[in-house]
């Protein structure tokens, strides 16, 4: 329990002190702190697509296992892989479409 508490406290301290140092460096360089930042990263959007695809795969795996005589584990595993892979392909195609529409905005 003590190790968990000290780990959480250490990570929180590290994040806060790093943010403070970054802001102080920005002030020294004269960068405006009120400028809007990027809201999210492409990695988080890709991760969201993956999680949604895996969730859909679990759902369809349950449906597939109930309808067919195949083993439950094979149905779930195959549908999770298909759902996760399909969601990553969808993210890739949406990102490519966004890059074609706006060549200067590389973020999805």
């Amino acid at each position: 329990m003590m190790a968990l508490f000290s780990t959480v406290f250490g990570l929180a301290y590290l994040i806060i002190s790093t943010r403070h140092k970054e802001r102080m460096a920005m002030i020294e360089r004269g960068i405006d702190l009120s400028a809007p930042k990027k809201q999210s990263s492409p990695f988080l959007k890709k991760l969201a697509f993956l999680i949604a695809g895996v969730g859909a795969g679990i759902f369809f795996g349950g449906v597939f296992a109930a309808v067919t005589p195949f083993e439950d584990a094979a149905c779930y595993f195959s549908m999770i892989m298909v759902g996760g892979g399909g969601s990553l392909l969808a993210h890739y195609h949406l990102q490519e479409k966004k890059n074609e529409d706006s060549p200067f905005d590389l973020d999805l």
Side-chain angles (χ1 to χ4, degrees), residues 11-104:
L11 287 174
Y13 176 77
L14 183 68
I15 290 170
I16 291 171
S17 66
T18 303
R19 188 181 329 160
H20 177 71
K21 289 177 185 177
E22 180 183 11
R23 288 183 181 186
M24 293 304 291
M26 290 174 70
I27 289 171
E28 287 176 0
R29 292 187 181 131
I31 298 173
D32 185 20
L33 294 178
S34 63
K37 294 183 178 180
K38 286 185 176 179
Q39 293 297 326
S40 62
S41 68
F43 173 74
L44 291 178
K45 290 180 183 176
K46 186 184 291 187
L47 185 63
F49 266 84
L50 180 63
I51 291 171
V54 167
I58 291 171
F59 174 74
F60 286 116
V63 171
F64 195 57
V67 173
T68 63
F70 298 124
E71 293 183 25
D72 289 348
C75 294
Y76 280 109
F77 185 73
S78 64
M79 289 293 110
I80 288 171
M81 292 297 133
V82 168
S87 66
L88 291 177
L89 278 173
H91 177 266
Y92 174 76
H93 285 296
L94 286 175
Q95 186 175 5
E96 288 297 315
K97 183 179 179 187
K98 175 79 172 180
N99 289 344
E100 289 175 2
D101 292 344
S102 176
F104 298 108

